Amino acid sequence: MSGARQAAGGGAPAYQVWAVPGIPEVQAGDDLVKLLAAAVTGEGLPGLADGDVLLVTSKIISKAEGRIVRAGDREAAIDAETVRVVARRGSLRIVENRQGLVMAAAGVDASNTAAGTVLLLPEDPDASARALRSGLREALGVDVGVIVTDTFGRPWRSGLTDVAIGAAGVRVLDDLRGGVDAHGNPLSATVVATADELAAAGDLVKGKAAGLPVAVVRGLPHVVGGDGGDGARALVRAAGDDMFRLGTSEAVREAVTLRRTVREFTAEPVDGAAVRRAVAAAITAPAPHHTTPWRFVLLESAEARLRLLDAMREAWIADLRGDGFSEESIAKRVRRGDVLRNAPYLVVPCLVMDGSHTYRDERRNASEREMFVVAAGAAVQNFLVALAGERLGSAWISSTMFCRDVVREVLGLPSGWDPMGAVAVGHAAAPPRERPVRVADAFIAVR
């Protein structure tokens, strides 16, 4: 029997934790409640009492529930249990599995099971915990909490530890927000993962290879009681709150996929710091001759945006009239051009030819400019993708390219700065429409 959190001095907070021996190899269809009840009341053990917490390794639950599958290829089993790849490095995959857990290999385990088979996690670990708690109450007449545990790695930390993947009758989270610490400082972000702490405590006595899949914690009755709310599912961070939802390459791919042309924005202000971070990503684009052919003009004030857009509208209307368009047609076209006017933030990317080469052959000069234009396009694409990563919508509109002199005059730009359209930036007013599926092979030529 092992003690923990034992402070010096009498009456200090303490609890006890011990492993439960005597549990036989579990087979599919076994009555796990019966096996556990017999084991915890074995000779020399203190049995179970109200307020205890029973920590049960998920593997024995999976075996009892028949979650053993024939699988010569473990990777195929992982594929079947995966709903989202979070990160991949070589053969290692961190994924979100069908239970909503983010972990290595979807929890598919080839250890402690016969050759040619793999062990899947319980179908519903919270339901498994509830069934064990109810069964033990009926068999032994005790009100205990039950936590189903599994071994996880953790971001930023080396080594493995047990965490709770299922729970019943246990307060899995202890929300201390609204209270104060010993110095009277307000606690505004402290939510303790009590169930994970209990799981880790049990793992200290169960061990990874000792054949002791169950442990008991006694002395913390305040964490036991009620129905346990949402069970261990409450420990899974919601997608919207998860700042580390993806690995590096997966985050880049998702940002590229998220990038959409957004034409309607909310009135929510745009964080200028987020736009500047996107510019920092933009200027990593490739460019010819070791040049930096990009400049980004940020129109952060409404006055600057309206002054530019009004001047551009006047120039556009004059051009349309010169081309013989009717007033009705002009009005329709101008209305369609209001995407920039409705955006809370505008950015005008500009091309500069500083460092470009001049040749006697005009064809080579034209190619030289094309190289710089391509570099500008690469920078703008970087910029749009980075904005998507900041959860900002954008629309790259070409209009400033048709009135560059007007833009330079209104914004006071050097004569060598060529506006390359304008980017409307803001928070999307509606979810993006589904993008038509494009098969990569249709855009590939192999020689």
Side-chain angles (χ1 to χ4, degrees), residues 53 70 78 114 127 130 151-152 183 219 234 238 251 275 292 296 352 362 400:
V53 179
R70 291 280 172 191
I78 295 171
R130 289 193 298 269
T151 304
F152 272 48
H183 297 279
V275 177
T292 54
F296 290 82
V352 298
E362 285 305 314
T400 66

Side-chain angles (χ1 to χ4, degrees), residues 21 38-46:
V40 297
T41 56
E43 184 177 355
L45 294 179

